[in-house]
Amino acid sequence: KPTQATMLANLIKEHQSKQDALRQENEVRKKAVLNSVEVTTNCMMDSINLGVARVFANERRIEAQAAKLQGQTDRFTKQTSQWLQMIAGFNTSLKEMGDVENWARIIEHDMKEIATALEYVHTNHPPTSHS
């Protein structure tokens, strides 16, 4: 018949054995959790890195498009300036034509007045002979 001391020693051994088994089981679970965390972290980092790579690629495309747009804007500005100069020249030419037309009308009016005056003098004052 086992004594109380033997039974106590057996209980302590059994308890220690269960504690060792629990520690080993906890260690296995801890390693599994750490492995799972590492896998999850790697997946998250891959996802983040992919997102960052996309952002940088988009940034490069936007910068290229902005440079292209700036070039087009510069060309448009230059072309618009040339058009404005051309329109200003056209307006000046139109003004000059208007001035010439006005000058021609004034000359024509003056010539008509002179012609009317000469005709009046000719019809109302017949030529006299000085002989």
Side-chain angles (χ1 to χ4, degrees):
K1 183 174 184 186
T3 63
Q4 282 186 343
T6 307
M7 286 176 47
L8 184 59
N10 285 341
L11 280 175
I12 291 174
K13 279 184 185 180
E14 186 181 327
H15 176 70
Q16 287 175 343
S17 177
K18 285 182 182 180
Q19 287 295 317
D20 287 341
L22 283 174
R23 272 190 223 111
Q24 287 176 356
E25 189 179 328
N26 282 344
E27 192 63 32
V28 168
R29 288 181 179 173
K30 179 181 173 183
K31 286 180 182 178
V33 166
L34 288 175
N35 187 37
S36 179
V37 167
E38 182 180 356
V39 168
T40 303
T41 301
N42 287 340
C43 287
M44 290 172 62
M45 290 305 294
D46 289 345
S47 176
I48 290 171
N49 288 339
L50 180 62
V52 169
R54 284 182 184 155
V55 167
F56 282 129
N58 286 340
E59 182 181 13
R60 283 192 300 274
R61 275 196 301 272
I62 289 170
E63 286 172 353
Q65 289 175 354
K68 183 179 176 183
L69 181 61
Q70 183 63 47
Q72 290 173 342
T73 301
D74 291 344
R75 284 191 300 280
F76 179 72
T77 300
K78 183 177 178 182
Q79 187 176 28
T80 302
S81 177
Q82 290 172 345
W83 288 346
L84 289 173
Q85 289 174 354
M86 199 167 62
I87 289 172
F90 181 71
N91 282 340
T92 301
S93 296
L94 281 177
K95 286 178 186 177
E96 289 172 358
M97 283 177 54
D99 291 345
V100 168
E101 186 179 346
N102 188 42
W103 173 79
R105 267 193 242 125
I106 291 171
I107 295 295
E108 182 181 11
H109 181 267
D110 288 349
M111 294 300 280
K112 283 181 181 177
E113 284 183 2
I114 292 171
T116 302
L118 287 173
E119 188 177 322
Y120 175 78
V121 167
H122 179 66
T123 54
N124 291 332
H125 299 303
T128 57
S129 82
H130 289 77
S131 20

